[in-house]
Amino acid sequence: MTRVYFVRHAQTDYRVGTDRDRPLTAAGLEDRRVVLDFFSDKEIGAFCCSPYRRSLDTIIEAARYYGQDIRTDERLRERETVPGGNCRELFRKRWADFDWHEPGGESLRSVQRRNIAALTDILTAEDGKNIVIGTHGTALSTVLNYFDPGFGCDDFLRIIDWMPYIIELDFEGTRYLTRTEHVHVEKVFIG
C-alpha cells in the first residue's frame, strides 16, 4: 500500500509578492511545527511539492527531519488566477462548471488533470512508500473531487481556512482506497 499525505500550505499573506513567491505569515511559519510533529513518526519515503514557496516552506522542516530533498513538480502548482478571482461567487461558478474560467485564469478541470497526472507518476515511482505532497487548497480539492465526485464547492469552502491541512489518501498501486483527515489549523484566509 502507498500512503500519500497531502499537506495544504500554512497561512500565507496573498497581498504580498507574486503567486509563486509569497511567503508564509509569521503564524504560518510557526504552524510548520504542527506539520513536523505529525510526520515525525511516519517513516516518510519521499517528499514532493508544488514549486510555490508557500508549499515548500510548509513541508521543509519535515523533509529536513528525514534528511530528504523535496522534488518539485510544476503540475502540482495552484490554479492560475487573475486579480479579484478569490471570491465565493467565483468559487461557486467554477465548481458548478469545471470547464469555466475567467479570461487569463485556469479551469478546475485543467488543474485536476495536471495534478492527477503528477500524482499518478508519483504513485508509480514511489510505490509502497509513505509520501508527502505539498499542495494548495484548490489543487488538493480537485484531487479529492477526482476520487470522490461528491466533493464539491461546500467541501472546498469548509477547508479554505485550514492552513496547514493534512489529509491522507491510501492507494494500492494507482487504485484509490480511502482517505483520512488528520490535522488542520484554522487560520483566516488573507486574500
Side-chain angles (χ1 to χ4, degrees), residues 2-178:
T2 305
R3 184 160 283 159
V4 179
Y5 295 99
F6 284 93
V7 181
R8 193 263 178 111
H9 61 78
Q11 187 185 46
T12 307
D13 186 344
Y14 287 88
R15 299 171 295 188
V16 177
T18 67
D19 206 26
R20 287 185 178 266
D21 65 6
R22 287 189 182 105
L24 299 178
T25 63
L29 289 169
E30 288 178 24
D31 289 336
R32 294 186 305 182
R33 185 69 187 176
V34 172
V35 175
L36 175 58
D37 288 348
F38 177 79
F39 288 119
S40 65
D41 66 349
K42 301 293 186 281
E43 299 297 324
I44 303 302
F47 286 83
C48 304
C49 194
S50 158
Y52 288 19
R53 179 179 175 186
R54 59 190 179 270
S55 294
L56 287 161
D57 285 351
T58 300
I59 65 171
I60 195 164
E61 295 301 324
R64 286 179 181 152
Y65 176 84
Y66 282 98
Q68 294 189 31
D69 293 328
I70 300 171
R71 292 191 324 258
T72 60
D73 188 321
E74 187 67 27
R75 296 172 297 174
L76 295 172
R77 72 188 185 279
E78 183 58 298
R79 188 182 76 82
E80 292 293 330
T81 61
V82 296
N86 286 329
C87 71
R88 291 185 192 257
E89 177 185 327
L90 289 177
F91 293 153
R92 291 204 181 279
K93 189 169 185 174
R94 287 184 207 110
W95 280 92
D97 179 356
F98 249 46
D99 292 311
W100 183 85
H101 61 87
E102 57 274 62
E106 183 181 17
S107 73
L108 294 182
R109 187 167 324 278
S110 174
V111 174
Q112 185 181 65
R113 283 183 180 145
R114 62 179 164 72
N115 273 268
I116 292 300
L119 175 60
T120 301
D121 289 348
I122 292 166
L123 289 169
T124 301
E126 306 297 343
D127 187 43
K129 295 181 182 176
N130 292 334
I131 305 162
V132 171
I133 297 179
T135 189
H136 306 270
T138 301
L140 172 58
S141 293
T142 66
V143 170
L144 296 174
N145 170 269
Y146 180 84
F147 294 110
D148 175 7
F151 186 100
C153 188
D154 289 337
D155 300 294
F156 166 73
L157 292 173
R158 178 179 70 93
I159 68 170
I160 198 167
D161 290 327
W162 292 2
M163 298 173 273
Y165 168 49
I166 302 172
I167 185 169
E168 166 191 334
L169 276 65
D170 294 332
F171 295 86
E172 193 63 53
T174 58
R175 185 173 59 87
Y176 169 72
L177 302 173
T178 187

